[in-house]
Amino acid sequence: MTSTSPPQKQKAWLVVRKGLPKDAVVLNQQTDVPSKLAPGEVLIKVHAAALNPVGYKLMGLLPNFLVKRPQVAENDFAGVVVNGNGTDWQNGQEVYGIVSADVAFKNGQGALAEYLVVHSSRIVSRPPNLKPTEAAGLTLVGLTAWQALFNVAKLEPGQSIFINGGSTSVGMVAIQLAKSIGCTVTASASTQKEELLKSLGVDNFIDYKKAPVYKQLEENPPSPKFHVFLEAVGNTDVYMYSHSEKYLAPGGIFISVGPFPHGLSDIAEFLHLVFELVRPGFLGGTKRQWTLLKQLAFEDFKTYAEFVADGRVKPVVDSVFAFEDVQKAYDRIMSQRTSGKVVVRVDPTVE
């Protein structure tokens, strides 16, 4: 083995069972480094990885018989190509990208490892002005926001959008994407996040702690009404949708990143939402389109990356943890008090 060849073994944080990260995720110091690459795949030395709420939520939801475990945790990363495997990528190129969920479930790959295999279409070049710890968390949230705004909502310049959960990582990218094409953006968050969101371009701010968001919008409806309502929290609050005729324009669209029940009360709320979605208008149903976001905009990854490269989309990082402190990183993201991405520095020599 030459000095630049990858080792046979590596450190990796593995999901071994269903449960909370403290019980489900363990550090394995003798995980095999992938050695067999299919056509189109590349080997990446990981510099940094980012956590996403969907990671710990699925960890606590899916039993082992439904997913391939042990499985390396998380999906988002930044790193360097160490085996281009005959693709257009050359060894030494700095990249960021994602291990998509279908691949992760199939072969157990993930981002919280020293090395990973990923398809060449799931990475883009990391701009030199971004550190690995800044770029690591851009992909999943960015492609989610892009899919919602441009592929589903067909957002156009000059339109107005409401983002519930403007301080979520998806919300902060959505704010920047919408502002970059000249839209008016209203967003909700706690007062502590108002200055941050306005620095990203938010025109109008709503403190969700003052009163339910739908009530505040009903009492002060926008003029004109919103063309797009993006629910970026994963909220099961049915009233945001059922009252949306007051603030969402006819022909407008209500998009949810995915209502995710956390307990019995949320399940009841979710079932109420389902009832409202199937209730026809002549029986009092809401006459506005509701859409669940089902996929990421992988086909637009390179275009989205241009927005990142020229600064139209800037990363917002809440905190960076050492590789051995992954459990502390999960504690941070599960606190739901973050302002930006929670990142793990996999390679201690990078910024």
Side-chain angles (χ1 to χ4, degrees):
M1 184 180 74
T2 66
S3 60
T4 57
S5 299
Q8 293 182 334
K9 300 292 182 178
Q10 65 171 332
K11 298 177 183 178
W13 286 91
L14 305 179
V15 183
V16 296
R17 63 180 66 89
K18 174 186 172 183
L20 295 172
K22 66 183 180 64
D23 302 314
V25 182
V26 299
L27 178 61
N28 186 310
Q29 304 201 40
Q30 291 294 314
T31 303
D32 290 337
V33 173
S35 57
K36 295 182 179 180
L37 277 62
E41 292 182 335
V42 297
L43 181 65
I44 305 293
K45 177 177 171 56
V46 182
H47 288 159
L51 307 189
N52 288 290
V54 68
Y56 69 78
K57 289 177 181 179
L58 291 179
M59 195 184 301
L61 179 68
L62 300 178
N64 282 14
F65 70 86
L66 288 180
V67 293
K68 180 180 175 65
R69 288 176 180 154
Q71 174 187 11
V72 181
E74 300 302 326
N75 303 88
D76 277 341
F77 64 89
V80 60
V81 177
V82 293
N83 185 352
N85 192 35
T87 67
D88 292 335
W89 293 101
Q90 303 299 314
N91 292 2
Q93 286 188 276
E94 305 273 354
V95 299
Y96 67 94
I98 187 171
V99 179
S100 52
D102 57 336
V103 172
F105 288 149
K106 180 180 178 181
N107 63 18
Q109 292 290 300
L112 281 176
E114 294 175 301
Y115 293 85
L116 61 81
V117 168
V118 66
H119 194 273
S120 60
S121 65
R122 298 298 189 259
I123 54 176
V124 293
S125 295
R126 175 172 64 83
N129 60 311
L130 290 185
K131 303 173 184 177
T133 51
E134 293 174 324
L138 285 167
T139 305
L140 179 60
V141 295
L143 297 185
T144 299
W146 188 283
Q147 178 73 10
L149 269 57
F150 301 137
N151 294 343
V152 177
K154 311 295 184 184
L155 188 68
E156 298 178 357
Q159 291 187 327
S160 62
I161 178 173
F162 181 84
I163 300 173
N164 184 59
S167 62
T168 64
S169 292
V170 170
M172 287 190 282
V173 175
I175 289 166
Q176 296 179 78
L177 289 174
K179 290 304 297 181
S180 73
I181 67 167
C183 293
T184 300
V185 178
T186 303
S188 66
S190 64
T191 300
Q192 295 91 324
K193 307 293 178 65
E194 182 175 1
E195 184 176 344
L196 170 62
L197 297 195
K198 287 189 173 179
S199 74
L200 297 175
V202 164
D203 299 288
N204 306 295
F205 179 83
I206 288 181
D207 178 3
Y208 75 89
K209 291 185 177 181
K210 286 185 176 179
V213 170
Y214 77 90
K215 284 189 176 181
Q216 295 187 62
L217 291 175
E218 279 186 324
E219 292 172 0
N220 296 284
S223 180
K225 294 181 179 179
F226 302 121
H227 300 90
V228 178
F229 190 114
L230 175 61
E231 203 298 290
V233 178
N235 203 323
T236 55
D237 184 358
V238 63
Y239 298 108
M240 285 189 186
Y241 172 67
S242 63
H243 289 249
S244 62
E245 290 181 29
K246 300 289 181 64
Y247 40 82
L248 186 59
I253 185 170
F254 188 112
I255 303 173
S256 172
V257 297
F260 206 105
H262 297 285
L264 292 178
S265 61
D266 280 355
I267 291 175
E269 193 80 11
F270 176 73
L271 293 175
H272 187 185
L273 174 62
V274 172
F275 171 76
E276 287 296 331
L277 293 177
V278 300
R279 185 160 59 138
F282 66 86
L283 291 179
T286 305
K287 298 176 183 178
R288 294 295 184 271
Q289 182 183 354
W290 185 96
T291 297
L292 174 66
L293 205 61
K294 304 181 185 69
Q295 63 188 41
L296 300 179
F298 288 125
E299 67 278 10
D300 298 311
F301 196 2
K302 290 183 179 179
T303 305
Y304 165 66
E306 293 174 3
F307 281 61
V308 172
D310 65 19
R312 284 176 286 178
V313 172
K314 296 179 175 65
V316 181
V317 176
D318 172 86
S319 48
V320 179
F321 291 84
F323 189 61
E324 59 269 23
D325 291 332
V326 159
Q327 292 294 352
K328 293 180 181 179
Y330 275 116
D331 288 343
R332 177 60 185 168
I333 192 173
M334 293 175 68
S335 73
Q336 299 183 344
R337 296 189 179 94
T338 59
S339 297
K341 298 299 296 184
V342 175
V343 177
V344 173
R345 183 183 286 109
V346 178
D347 183 341
T349 68
V350 304
E351 293 187 68

